[in-house]
Amino acid sequence: WEARRMTPTALPTPLARQSPAEVIDEFRHRKGWSVDTLAAHAGLNIKQIYKIKRCESVTTGTVVTLAETIGCQPGDLIPATSPLKSQR
């Protein structure tokens, strides 16, 4: 019997993850909304929307509220390197 050599197969490369700003802007453009309009629909201050877009620290509640408004998972709005502030 001849020993077979198994060559490892490459795993499929996952698609590049969108940044929070890209997720937000894609939703806004589909709806034709400005950032002001998005903030109003989410019940958030516009500054919170911009903080999320810039990957700045916000509360988990803010992320969840925006995610529910735009129909994505909260994790889509959280960059891996940005910690959330604990909610008080």
Side-chain angles (χ1 to χ4, degrees), residues 13-24:
T13 305
L15 297 175
R17 184 174 174 202
Q18 288 183 303
S19 72
E22 291 169 328
V23 172
I24 293 166

Side-chain angles (χ1 to χ4, degrees), residues 15-51:
L15 297 175
R17 184 174 174 202
Q18 288 183 303
S19 72
E22 291 169 328
V23 172
I24 293 166
D25 288 340
E26 181 180 313
F27 171 82
R28 284 191 320 99
H29 290 121
R30 276 187 290 164
K31 289 284 211 174
W33 289 358
S34 66
V35 178
D36 287 318
T37 303
L38 174 59
H41 279 274
L44 297 171
N45 185 302
I46 191 170
K47 290 179 184 180
Q48 295 303 100
I49 305 291
Y50 281 115
K51 279 186 167 189

